[in-house]
Amino acid sequence: MRSIATFLFGLAIATPALANVPYLEVPACPDKGTITYNQSVPDKTDFPKTQVDLCYGDKSISITFTAYEETNFYYNSSYTTNDPIYEYEVMETFIARGTNDPQTYLEFEVAPNNVTFQAFIFNPSKSSPLDTAYLTTPLDDGLSATTTLDKPGQTWTSKVEVPLGLFNVDEGQAKGTEWRMNFFRTVVSPSTFPEQELGAWSPPDGDSFHVTPFFGDVRFV
Ligand SMILES: *[C@@H]1O[C@H](CO)[C@@H](O)[C@H](O)[C@H]1NC(C)=O
Ligand SMILES: *[C@@H]1O[C@H](CO)[C@@H](O)[C@H](O)[C@H]1NC(C)=O
Ligand SMILES: *[C@@H]1O[C@H](CO)[C@@H](O)[C@H](O)[C@H]1NC(C)=O
């Protein structure tokens, strides 16, 4: 017989819009809002500690991704801008302006060798992306990453700038804006490839990161 717990679990899966998502306040630079996460997707088991520091400036969002407990530093050296670097190890953010569960959002990723992936995703089902609009000149756009590896310290860090204009926030107008974001990391080694461990700030209920009702709430204060 179905227990109440099973029934409630089934209900939660069927109505992801009711997901209880985390909230972050992000100050103007040089102050920072900080999140750390250590839960896998979708099972919420232990995952290597991952940190994200955010602040906003006049023209861009500054994001520092820090991967702790990293032992693989695994990437494909033949991959370049906008190649599927997410098959290997990356840190990622999905970003949309506004408060609703987004249908369109920026997907930004960086690999340990500093290669980036950047595209707007069109995902009208909010759970299964339909189309991908690549940003093909990220450096001209002001979308950049600077990556440092500390192999003895088992850490890699990428400092990223994301232009506010991509979200129609004019110069100096970011204070008070509201956002939906999620942050992710993939972990895989040569011996486990292509099976990845996935981690998230707000873990979705399935193997895909693209379930927008799970994006956290973010406010620029
Ligand atoms: C995961 O993070 C939580 C909250 O920051 C912390 O209490 C917990 O000890 C961490 N777990 C591990 C295994 O590091
Ligand atoms: C890197 O990607 C290329 C192109 O998909 C593939 O042929 C190659 O085997 C990959 N290398 C590694 C180390 O996985
Ligand atoms: C990484 O790429 C950026 C552009 O996105 C560049 O400015 C930087 O010098 C590159 N190298 C490192 C080590 O971060």
Side-chain angles (χ1 to χ4, degrees), residues 34-38 47-53 64-73 89 91 148 150-158 185-187 197:
T34 298
I35 57 175
T36 59
Y37 59 85
N38 58 16
F47 183 82
K49 182 182 171 187
T50 311
Q51 182 171 326
V52 187
D53 297 287
T64 302
F65 295 97
T66 307
Y68 295 103
E69 303 168 57
E70 177 62 58
T71 55
N72 308 309
F73 302 92
E89 294 197 302
M91 289 189 280
T148 312
D150 173 7
K151 290 190 175 175
Q154 302 193 333
T155 302
W156 61 285
T157 304
S158 290
R185 174 178 170 191
T186 62
V187 173
E197 282 181 77

Side-chain angles (χ1 to χ4, degrees), residues 29-216:
C29 301
D31 291 340
K32 290 178 192 324
T34 298
I35 57 175
T36 59
Y37 59 85
N38 58 16
Q39 289 191 320
S40 72
V41 176
D43 296 332
K44 301 188 182 180
T45 53
D46 286 353
F47 183 82
K49 182 182 171 187
T50 311
Q51 182 171 326
V52 187
D53 297 287
L54 292 108
C55 62
Y56 65 87
D58 281 344
K59 291 186 180 171
S60 62
I61 309 170
S62 299
I63 306 176
T64 302
F65 295 97
T66 307
Y68 295 103
E69 303 168 57
E70 177 62 58
T71 55
N72 308 309
F73 302 92
Y74 192 42
Y75 56 87
N76 185 323
S77 56
S78 70
Y79 281 176
T80 185
T81 305
N82 292 340
D83 283 340
I85 58 175
Y86 46 80
E87 295 167 351
Y88 296 82
E89 294 197 302
V90 289
M91 289 189 280
E92 315 186 14
T93 182
F94 292 1
I95 302 177
R97 188 180 170 192
T99 57
N100 59 324
D101 300 337
Q103 298 186 45
T104 297
Y105 45 92
L106 179 73
E107 173 171 356
F108 178 87
E109 307 178 5
V110 59
N113 63 341
N114 199 40
V115 169
T116 62
F117 172 103
Q118 44 274 301
F120 276 95
I121 306 300
F122 183 45
N123 181 0
S125 69
K126 305 186 179 185
S127 61
S128 181
L130 189 61
D131 207 352
T132 304
Y134 292 98
L135 289 165
T136 57
T137 58
L139 292 189
D140 294 344
D141 300 341
L143 191 52
S144 66
T146 306
T147 301
T148 312
L149 305 187
D150 173 7
K151 290 190 175 175
Q154 302 193 333
T155 302
W156 61 285
T157 304
S158 290
K159 292 180 184 296
V160 172
E161 296 291 324
V162 178
L164 285 160
L166 290 175
F167 307 95
N168 290 315
V169 177
D170 288 332
E171 189 170 341
Q173 300 299 309
K175 187 181 174 77
T177 52
E178 294 178 290
W179 304 76
R180 296 291 298 277
M181 300 186 190
N182 209 346
F183 300 92
F184 307 101
R185 174 178 170 191
T186 62
V187 173
V188 62
S189 72
S191 63
T192 58
F193 184 86
E195 288 298 319
Q196 293 171 306
E197 282 181 77
L198 310 176
W201 177 41
S202 178
D205 58 358
D207 279 342
S208 172
F209 291 164
H210 291 267
V211 187
T212 76
F214 287 89
F215 288 18

